[in-house]
Structure formats: C-alpha cells, structure tokens
Amino acid sequence: MNILIIGSGGREHSLAWAVAQNPKCENLIVAPGNPGIAEIARCVDLDIYNNSQILEFSQNNKVDLVIIGPEGPLANGLSDLLRKGGVTVFGCSKEAAKLESSKKFTKDLCKKIGAPTANFEFFSNAKKAKEYVVRQGVPIVIKLDGLAAGKGVIVAMDQKTAFNAIDNFLDRKETAIQNKILIEEYLEGEEASFFVLSDGKNLLPIGSAQDHKTAYDNDQGPNTGGMGAYSPAPVLTQSIMDLTIESIIKPTIEEMFNRGTPYKGVIFAGLMIKNGIPKLIEYNVRFGDPECQALMIRLGPQVLDLILACCSTKLDKAKINWAKDHSVTIVLANKGYPGNYKNGSKIRFVEELKNDSLNQIFHAGTKIDNSHLIANGGRVLNITARGDNLLEARDRAYKNLEKINWPEGFYRSDIGWRAL
Ligand code: AMP
Ligand code: GLY
C-alpha cells in the first residue's frame, strides 16, 4: 500500500514508525514530516491546510490510505474532500470534528444524551458571566470556545482570576460570535486520556494514557501541550473503561450516527475520574500528543491493521494483541516553552541512542541545518521507552535522555510520578 500521513510532530513520527513496520505498508509518505520522520519515510512539502493540493497529490501518487494526525486539517474538512475524491481516509469529517472544535457542540450533545460532564453555561456578555461566577462560587473553569491550541482554558481558584479570564477572552477577536465563553463546574479527581476507534458503528478501545500538562516538576508552572505521558493509565481500570464506553462514548457515537454524520476515526476522551465515576472534560478528534507516542511504542505495527479495520467498517472483527507492557515518553523542550524560546541551538548525540522496539526517539520541533540537528519549536524531542513495568520503562527513557547533549533544553524529571 501507498500510505500518506499528514502532520509533522512527535505524534506523526510515532504513527509513521508503527505503520512503516507493517508489511502492508510498501511506501510511506509524510507531509510535511520532520527530520526524524525523514529517516523512515519520504517527506513531501504539502500545505496541510490546502485540501485540494493534498487530494491531487493523493490521486497522482496512487495513495491508498491517508492518515490525518492533527485536528486542524480535520476541522478544515480535509477528510471530507479526500473521501469525496475516492481516497480512503483515517480521520473524521468536518462535522464530526466539531466534537473538538466547538465546546458548545459537545456540551449540548452531552446534555442531550445524558453523558456525565461538568455543569455549564455559555456567555457572550461579561456582566452576566461574572454574575454567574459569583452565584456558582470558586473554583470554577473558564473556557474559550473553538480550537485554541491549549490556550483557551483557565482553571480559576479565586474570583479575580475568573473575572480576568472573562475579560481577556471577551476581548479576543474570535469571541465576536455569540455565546463563546463557557463557564463550567470545577471537577475534582484524577485525569486520564482514553482512546477509542470508531468506524461509525462499532467501537474498539485502543489504550489509555496519562499526560503531564504543566511545564515543571510537581505539576508547577504554566500549562503546555503536554510534557510527557505514560501508558496504560492505572486509574482507567477495565470497569471504568467499560463505564466510560457505556455512559459517554457509545451514546456519543450513536448520536452522531443518528444525525447522519457518523464518527469515523479515533476519538480521545479527556476524563476526570472520582469515586469510580468518569466525567467527560473534553473530546479530541485525534490522538493526543505526547500520549500517541506512548501508545504507538506499545501497539507497534498492528496499528495499521486497526486503522484499516476502522476505515472499512470492520472494527467489530478487529482485535488488539496487548503485551503486558508499560511505556513512558518524556518531552525534551526548548528553554522558555510554553512562552518565548529561541530556535537554532544544536542538539548532540541523538544518533547514538538505541533504536529498537523498546527505545525510540520521536522528533517534534527539530530541523537539520548544515547537517546538524537543531531545535525548531517548543516541544522538540520525545524520548520514548517500553518495559515490563512502568518503573522499568521510565528508567530506560531517562537513561536514554541523559545521553543527549542539549544545554538549551529542559524536561520534567517526574514523568509517571502519580502511578509510581
Ligand atoms: P483542555 O485545554 O480543555 O484540555 O483543558 C486543560 C486542562 O484544564 C485539562 O487538562 C484539565 O486539567 C483542566 N480542566 C479543564 N476543564 C476542567 C474542569 N471542568 N474541572 C477541572 N479541571 C479542568
Ligand atoms: N496532550 C494533550 C493533547 O494532545 O491534547
């Protein structure tokens, strides 16, 4: 098969690594890719927001399957155009992508199907929003609707922070549309990420993980896209996963099917779990980054068979072969991230690290300049390892990481602490 993966991050590198090992994959292309991906696939410089360019490329290059990594192109209708053009796609439609791109869409849907989630209300008026905060009390959570790349959520522990968030969000241009601020109940508990494949009708859970959102150790510092992850998440026991499917994910997929807009692809539920009850924080319509890296090193080449079963509506016949393994991925980030940072510093000794089924380095924000590997982004490398238990996986990953020489980088030293 000729396979095209869309994206350029650590998530897409790990997908490419897993897919490339499956004998069904004869030719792997990634657009636009990155230097790590370029070692295992052909990278082509396509604009991931130019749907017709990607369709034309797929048709001209006899691409049998397109795997879409990030949410942006999904919300931009890439899978719709490719499907219309006769190309097999792993990735949901533009309408289904509203589960991530519109908090209003998801909250209204949850209400309709009775899925447990934080109580909420939408506002477009600061005065009314603040009155609501006063009525509800703190802590409270203020969110900006729409895709905000992780910058649209303020967990306010006091009223002042909540009021500031309301003023800031309502000042932004994108809030010009009605009802764009979501204020919701603060949920206590333990957070986990749950990944499920849906072919529109059938569901197949594809693993769990826990992310580390803040920049520094002990959950301190600003929120980031994720500083590391491990899989599986111990809090997601079999019974809690079953309950999540029954109370949240299955009714969502059924509702999307009944609306004539079936959900086809991977759905990522961000959950808060307390006293054995999972509540939905949010949906994402893609794999998490860096959660995907931790999942892919565990799943390996079979992931392509699962994706193909998903695309051909045969998930009811698909089965995952799980090893009794654990994985960890540590994000090596550019000093200053998630704020301002400098690109261009040299990263040394990456090529000396092990490269096998237990040890991988997935590239994110890297570039080759004058045959040197340099930093070119906030989150730069994902040091990923697998082991018989979490401790073994973690130690393996940190041992690998310490061999890298990059004084301009930083990482959290406590990935996996909650489960250890
Ligand atoms: P999001 O950008 O929606 O992933 O939210 C960022 C983070 O804010 C989540 O990972 C949670 O840690 C936190 N968060 C979001 N909504 C709530 C909520 N209702 N209660 C408590 N924490 C929340
Ligand atoms: N790591 C969280 C996300 O991908 O949304």
Side-chain angles (χ1 to χ4, degrees), residues 118 141 143 153 155 184-187 191 213 272 281-282:
V141 182
K143 299 187 177 182
V153 177
V155 178
E184 68 177 26
E185 172 196 5
Y186 172 78
L187 297 176
E191 240 181 295
K213 300 256 182 198
M272 191 70 89
I281 299 178
E282 60 169 6

Coordinates of all heavy atoms in Angstrom, one line a residue, residues 118 141 143 153 155 184-187 191 213 272 281-282, ligand 1:
A118 N -19.1 18.3 33.3 CA -19.2 19.4 34.3 C -20.5 20.2 33.9 O -20.7 20.4 32.7 CB -18.0 20.2 34.2
V141 N -14.2 27.0 36.2 CA -13.4 26.9 35.0 C -13.9 27.8 33.9 O -15.1 27.7 33.6 CB -13.3 25.4 34.6 CG1 -12.3 25.3 33.3 CG2 -12.7 24.6 35.7
K143 N -13.6 28.8 29.9 CA -13.1 28.3 28.6 C -13.5 29.2 27.4 O -14.6 29.6 27.4 CB -13.5 26.9 28.4 CG -13.1 25.9 29.4 CD -13.4 24.5 29.0 CE -12.8 23.5 30.1 NZ -13.0 22.1 29.8
V153 N -8.2 27.7 28.2 CA -8.8 27.2 29.5 C -8.1 27.9 30.7 O -6.9 27.9 30.8 CB -8.6 25.7 29.6 CG1 -9.2 25.2 30.9 CG2 -9.3 25.0 28.5
V155 N -8.4 27.6 34.8 CA -8.9 27.0 36.0 C -8.7 28.0 37.1 O -7.6 28.3 37.5 CB -8.2 25.6 36.4 CG1 -8.8 25.1 37.6 CG2 -8.4 24.6 35.2
E184 N -17.7 26.5 33.4 CA -18.2 25.2 33.9 C -17.7 24.9 35.3 O -16.7 25.5 35.8 CB -17.9 24.1 32.9 CG -16.4 23.8 32.7 CD -16.2 22.6 31.8 OE1 -17.0 22.4 30.9 OE2 -15.2 22.0 31.9
E185 N -18.4 24.0 35.9 CA -18.1 23.5 37.2 C -16.7 22.9 37.3 O -16.2 22.3 36.3 CB -19.1 22.3 37.4 CG -18.9 21.5 38.7 CD -19.8 20.2 38.5 OE1 -20.4 19.9 37.5 OE2 -19.8 19.5 39.5
Y186 N -16.0 23.2 38.3 CA -14.6 22.6 38.5 C -14.8 21.2 39.0 O -15.5 20.9 40.0 CB -13.9 23.4 39.6 CG -12.6 22.9 40.1 CD1 -11.5 23.1 39.3 CD2 -12.5 22.2 41.3 CE1 -10.2 22.5 39.7 CE2 -11.3 21.7 41.7 CZ -10.1 21.9 40.9 OH -8.9 21.4 41.3
L187 N -14.1 20.3 38.2 CA -14.2 18.9 38.6 C -13.0 18.4 39.3 O -11.9 18.7 38.9 CB -14.3 18.0 37.3 CG -15.5 18.2 36.4 CD1 -15.4 17.4 35.1 CD2 -16.8 17.8 37.1
E191 N -7.2 12.8 36.3 CA -7.4 13.0 34.9 C -6.7 11.8 34.1 O -5.7 11.3 34.5 CB -6.7 14.3 34.4 CG -7.6 15.3 33.8 CD -6.9 16.5 33.4 OE1 -6.4 17.2 34.3 OE2 -6.9 16.8 32.2
K213 N 0.5 18.0 32.1 CA 0.2 19.3 31.4 C 1.1 20.5 31.8 O 1.4 21.3 30.9 CB -1.2 19.7 31.7 CG -2.3 18.7 31.3 CD -3.0 19.1 30.1 CE -4.0 18.1 29.7 NZ -4.5 18.1 28.4
M272 N -12.2 13.0 33.8 CA -11.9 13.2 35.2 C -12.6 12.1 35.9 O -13.8 11.9 35.8 CB -12.4 14.6 35.7 CG -11.9 15.0 37.0 SD -10.1 15.4 37.0 CE -10.1 17.1 36.6
I281 N -14.2 15.7 30.3 CA -13.8 17.1 30.3 C -13.9 17.6 28.9 O -14.4 18.7 28.7 CB -12.3 17.1 30.8 CG1 -12.1 16.6 32.2 CG2 -11.8 18.6 30.7 CD1 -10.7 16.7 32.7
E282 N -13.4 16.8 28.0 CA -13.4 17.3 26.6 C -13.2 16.1 25.7 O -12.6 15.0 26.1 CB -12.4 18.3 26.3 CG -11.0 17.7 26.6 CD -9.8 18.6 26.1 OE1 -10.1 19.7 25.7 OE2 -8.7 18.1 26.2
Ligands
AMP1 P1 -8.3 21.5 27.9 O1 -7.5 22.6 27.2 O2 -9.7 21.5 27.7 O3 -7.6 20.1 27.8 O4 -8.1 21.8 29.5 C1 -6.9 22.0 30.0 C2 -6.9 21.4 31.4 O5 -7.7 22.1 32.3 C3 -7.4 20.0 31.5 O6 -6.5 19.0 31.1 C4 -7.8 19.9 32.9 O7 -6.6 19.7 33.7 C5 -8.2 21.3 33.2 N1 -9.7 21.4 33.2 C6 -10.5 21.6 32.1 N2 -11.8 21.6 32.5 C7 -11.8 21.3 33.8 C8 -12.9 21.2 34.8 N3 -14.2 21.3 34.4 N4 -12.5 20.9 36.0 C9 -11.3 20.8 36.4 N5 -10.2 20.9 35.6 C10 -10.5 21.2 34.3

